[in-house]
Amino acid sequence: MRPIVFAPMLLLGLAACTQAPSTPEPAPPAEQTTEVMLAEPPAVEPQAAESADGNAGAGAADAPAWQGVTWQIIEAGGAAVPEGSPASIEFNIEGQVTGNSGCNRFTGGYVAEGDGLTFQPIAGTRMMCPPEAMAVETAVFAVLQGQARVSVDADGRLVVEGAGGTLVAVPAN
């Protein structure tokens, strides 16, 4: 009698293991594309730059002659900068000063008022260089602190006079 008891159990076990007839799965919904139109950001007008006489201008056309030019520094802190030095400086009309201190690149901010500047903190890379390049860097950074006067002299040279010394530069080629 044992085989008869096992036969129905075997049939029930096999039935439980077989897959029920499948009903077709509904097809996924058709892919819908929604086009999103982004509004254009409002146009930003450049801020008025101050002219050399301190009057607010309408932009780059009225900017002082020293802004928007890359200047090659030829003298820093009363000493001539060695020939071939990468020392340079540029003041953009948005109030940012960038350049090369003779050894490291730097960037920072400034506020212009008439022929005066107030430098904001300057940040730069921190590579070590030969002593003559480090001396130029020290002199450049001494001028780029606090308040300074800036002008372009009769020979077309940039002159930045600060409490820490003077920079003299010519337009870079």
Side-chain angles (χ1 to χ4, degrees), residues 62-159:
D62 294 331
W66 48 268
Q67 285 182 330
V69 176
T70 299
W71 299 92
Q72 186 69 40
I73 300 172
I74 59 171
E75 184 181 309
V81 172
E83 186 73 29
S85 170
S88 64
I89 192 166
E90 181 175 346
F91 299 90
N92 71 22
I93 64 172
E94 288 84 24
Q96 183 179 23
V97 59
T98 59
N100 186 303
S101 64
C103 178
N104 288 287
R105 303 272 318 141
F106 66 85
T107 187
Y110 71 92
V111 176
E113 188 172 328
D115 67 349
L117 294 179
T118 301
F119 288 103
Q120 296 168 342
I122 302 291
T125 57
R126 303 303 300 162
M127 298 185 308
M128 287 299 293
C129 294
E132 55 277 354
M134 295 303 292
V136 171
E137 177 169 287
T138 299
V140 168
F141 284 150
V143 176
L144 303 181
Q145 295 183 28
Q147 295 183 332
R149 286 182 26 144
V150 63
S151 62
V152 176
D153 69 12
D155 295 326
R157 301 179 312 170
L158 173 73
V159 179

Side-chain angles (χ1 to χ4, degrees), residues 39-68:
E40 297 235 355
V44 176
E45 295 295 320
Q47 293 180 345
E50 290 195 11
S51 63
D53 62 4
N55 295 324
D62 294 331
W66 48 268
Q67 285 182 330

